[in-house]
Amino acid sequence: MLKSDNPERFKFFPSPWIVVATASILLLVVVALAVRNINREAQHMSRILNEKGAALIKAFEAGARTGMMGMMWGGNQVQRLLEETARQPDIVYLMVVDRDGRILAHNDRAKIGRVLADLPAAGEGERWRLTKQANGPQTFEVYRLFKPLQGAGRGNRRGMGGRHQDRFCPPGMSGQGNTDWCFPGDPANSDQIILAGFDMAPFEDARREDIRNTITISGVLVLLGVAGFISIFWAHHYRSAARSLQDASAFAREVVTSLPVGLIATDHQGKIAFFNAAAANITGIGFDQARGRRPEDVLPAHWSHLQDALTRGQKIIEQEMECPFAPDRTVPVSVSASCIVNEDGHFVGHVIILRDLAEIRQLQATLRRTEKMAALGGLAAGVAHEIRNPLSSIKGMATYFGNKFPEGSEDREAARVMTGEVDRLNRAISALLDFARPSELNRRPTDIPQLLSHCLKLIAPDAAAKSIVVRQDIDLPPDYRPLMDSDRFSQCILNLYLNAIQAMPAGGRIIIRARVDEDAALHLDIRDTGPGIADEMQSQIFDPYFTTKPKGTGLGLAIVHKIVEAHGGRIDVQSRQGEGARFHITLPPLPAANAIPTNSEVTRAE
C-alpha cells in the first residue's frame, strides 16, 4: 500500500457552512429544473389539446361541407353528424353558436336554442381557453369561426343551393323551412362559432403522474446530494463526536435524572438498574433501596398484569392506577412501559414511566367545582331575589293577622310560627346572596395571630359548652402583616371553627397551626378529632347545598372555598372516618406590612 509523503494534504474536511451552502444550491437547481419540467408538461398538454380540437373542428367542417354540398343534407343530418362526432372519447361537448351566443347545434339537443353567457371572441385561427360548465368538470375549450362551405365558388353555391331571406342554405333546405343551418350573406364569411370542449381529467392525471415522477426523481437527487455532503460532514465531525460522546452521555443522564416524570429501567434479568429522582419522590423509595429489586416490589399488587402484557410484547401506554406505595400513602399514577430491544433483536430490559396524577386530578376537581359554583352562584342570585320579596309580604300578612287574635290563642301562635319560619328562610336567603355576591376584597395589612384569636373568642362559649379544648400553634415572623380582607377571612375561619365544634358534640380537640414557608406562602391548618368525613363525601363538601347536618344549609364550606379562592389561595381537606378532619388553607405570597412604607400606598393597594 502506497503512502503519501504528506498525508495531511489528503485530508479535506469542508466547513459545515460550505456543506449547507452547497446542499442549498443543489436544492435550488433541482427545484428550478423540476418547475421548468412541470411548466413544459403544461405547455405540451395545451398544445396537444389545441391541435386535437383544431383537427376535430376541421373534420366536422369537412363532414358538414361534404354532406351539405354533395348530399344535400338538412339541419337534422348535420345535427346527427355533430352528435356522432362528439361521441369520441374525452369530448365533453361540441356546439355551434351565432354571434349573439344562441346555440344553433349541440351534442345535447336539450341545449339547442339556449344563449351562451360567456361567448369568446373568435377569429380565423383556433384559440383555446379553460372553462367550466354548470355543475360540470373543467374543460379545455377550442373555438374559432365556423365555415363549413369556405372555398366553394359563389356560382356553384347558387347552383347547388339557394337564397332564403338573404341566407345561404345548402341544397334541399331552401324553401322547406329548414333554415337552422342557413348562413347569412356569404358563407365564406360566416359569423357562426364552433366550440369543442375536451375533458381535462386524463391529461391532468397524466400531468400529475409526470409531476409525481419529477418530484420523486428530484427528491432522490436531492437526497443523494445531501447524503453525499452529509457523509463528508460526518467524516469531518467524527473525531469531535467521539470526544463529545462522554459529555453527551453525562448530559443525557442528567436530563433523564431531572425529568419531572418517574423513570425506571430494568436490566435483562428484570431487576431495576436505573431509578431517577422523580420516581423516588413518587414511590417514596430511594435509588439505593430500589437498585437490584424487581418492579413488582416497587409497584406492589399492580405490576403483575403489566408484566404479563410486556412479556407478550405489548406496550403499556398511560394506564392509570392507584398505587399504595406505603401503608398510609396511595398515589394516583399513570404508568407507561415497553420493552427495550437492541439492534440485534435481543432483549435488554424494560423502561417504565410513572406520572403523578395527584395534582392533575386536584386541578380537574377544582376546575369542575369552580364551574359548578359559578353556575350555581348566578342561579342563586336570581332565585334569592325572587323569593325574598314574597317572604316580606308573607311575614307582614302573618304579623297582621296574628295581631287580630288574642294573646295565647292557637291562631296567634300559628301566626308566630309562620313569622319565625319566614325569618329562617330569610336567613337562608341571606347566606345564599353572600355566596352569589362577587368576592370584592378590601385588603388591609392583617395581624394573623390577632385574627385567629379574635375568632376563637367568638366561638369560645360554644367550645366550652361541649368540653372542646382548643390549641394554637402560631409560627409567624413578628412583623408579618399580609394584605388581605380581614372581615371576609374571619368569616372563613369562623365557619371552619363552627364546623369543627358541630362535628364533636361529645367533646374533643381543635388544633390550629399557622406558618410561612420558604416561598413566603401562608399555611393554615384547622384540625379536629371528630368522626371525620367519608371518602365518597370529600369531593362534595365544598359544593353548594351539600350538607350532612339535619339543619345545615350547605353553604358554609362553599362560602369558605369562595373566600379562599378570592384571595388566590387553595383549601384542601384530608380526613379518615374515626380520625377527624384537617382543613389546610394555602395562600400565595402576599406583601407584608413592612413592605408598605406609607399609609398612602396602603390606600392605593385597597
Side-chain angles (χ1 to χ4, degrees), residues 261-556:
V261 296
L263 184 64
I264 303 174
T266 67
D267 56 20
H268 65 282
Q269 295 179 347
K271 296 181 179 180
I272 295 176
F274 182 80
F275 202 82
N276 70 350
N281 293 333
I282 293 173
T283 61
I285 301 173
F287 180 40
D288 294 337
Q289 297 174 304
R291 180 184 299 176
R293 297 174 61 183
R294 295 188 174 274
E296 53 264 30
D297 298 331
V298 179
L299 302 172
H302 294 283
W303 179 248
S304 56
H305 70 281
L306 299 181
Q307 178 68 47
D308 294 340
L310 288 176
T311 303
R312 294 192 299 268
Q314 299 177 358
K315 289 185 177 181
I316 300 168
I317 300 176
E318 296 290 338
Q319 184 168 342
E320 297 185 7
M321 59 180 64
E322 303 286 334
C323 289
F325 293 116
D328 59 343
R329 187 169 180 268
T330 300
V331 181
V333 296
S334 170
V335 180
S336 299
S338 63
C339 297
I340 305 174
V341 180
N342 62 14
E343 295 180 356
D344 298 329
H346 298 304
F347 172 75
V348 176
H350 292 125
V351 59
I352 307 164
I353 298 176
L354 303 178
R355 189 159 58 95
D356 192 349
L357 301 179
E359 187 173 354
I360 294 176
R361 291 187 178 178
Q362 187 176 28
L363 291 175
Q364 290 173 344
T366 301
L367 179 60
R368 287 194 297 267
R369 187 182 302 114
T370 302
E371 291 175 349
K372 185 188 300 182
M373 291 181 68
L376 288 175
L379 177 64
V383 171
H385 270 293
E386 292 298 326
I387 294 177
R388 176 167 277 183
N389 293 334
L391 282 181
S392 300
S393 301
I394 292 172
K395 182 178 180 180
M397 295 299 294
T399 303
Y400 172 75
F401 284 111
N403 293 332
K404 289 186 172 294
F405 298 109
E407 187 69 34
S409 64
E410 292 183 2
D411 294 331
R412 191 177 184 104
E413 185 62 26
R416 187 178 296 110
V417 170
M418 289 177 62
T419 304
E421 291 301 308
V422 167
D423 290 336
R424 188 172 66 84
L425 281 175
N426 199 39
R427 287 193 298 272
I429 291 172
S430 297
L432 185 62
L433 286 175
D434 287 339
F435 168 72
R437 187 179 298 118
S439 299
E440 296 180 359
L441 302 180
N442 182 22
R443 295 180 181 266
R444 295 180 179 275
T446 303
D447 188 333
I448 298 298
Q450 183 178 354
L451 183 146
L452 296 176
S453 299
H454 174 71
C455 293
L456 281 180
K457 289 179 183 178
L458 297 177
I459 56 98
D462 295 333
K466 295 183 179 181
S467 302
I468 294 175
V469 178
V470 180
R471 191 181 71 188
Q472 285 193 121
D473 182 8
I474 309 297
D475 183 16
L476 299 174
D479 56 349
Y480 183 69
R481 301 288 188 275
L483 284 176
M484 61 171 53
D485 190 326
S486 57
D487 293 336
R488 300 295 300 277
F489 204 74
S490 296
Q491 180 185 3
C492 168
I493 299 300
L494 277 174
N495 277 335
L496 294 176
Y497 285 170
L498 291 174
N499 277 352
I501 291 173
Q502 293 169 4
M504 298 182 292
R509 287 181 299 162
I510 299 177
I511 302 170
I512 301 122
R513 290 190 175 93
R515 64 181 180 85
V516 177
D517 62 15
E518 60 274 7
D519 297 326
L522 176 63
H523 295 268
L524 290 176
D525 265 340
I526 300 175
R527 186 184 308 224
D528 63 61
T529 58
I533 304 171
D535 293 340
E536 62 273 12
M537 294 182 181
Q538 292 184 23
S539 61
Q540 300 175 275
I541 60 173
F542 295 113
D543 293 344
Y545 302 108
F546 177 81
T547 181
T548 57
K549 303 172 187 176
K551 296 184 179 180
T553 62
L555 288 175

Side-chain angles (χ1 to χ4, degrees), residues 136-198:
Q138 188 178 35
T139 57
F140 187 93
E141 186 178 82
V142 181
Y143 59 93
R144 70 172 174 84
L145 292 177
F146 182 52
K147 298 181 180 182
L149 300 182
Q150 187 173 12
R154 184 175 298 275
N156 290 337
R157 292 197 303 270
R158 290 185 178 180
M160 299 175 63
R163 294 279 181 176
H164 180 78
Q165 297 178 357
D166 296 330
R167 299 166 64 90
F168 178 79
C169 302
M173 297 176 64
S174 178
Q176 299 178 16
N178 290 331
T179 60
D180 293 344
W181 278 87
C182 293
F183 300 95
D186 185 357
N189 297 313
S190 170
D191 61 352
Q192 296 174 344
I193 302 172
I194 183 169
L195 302 96
F198 294 91

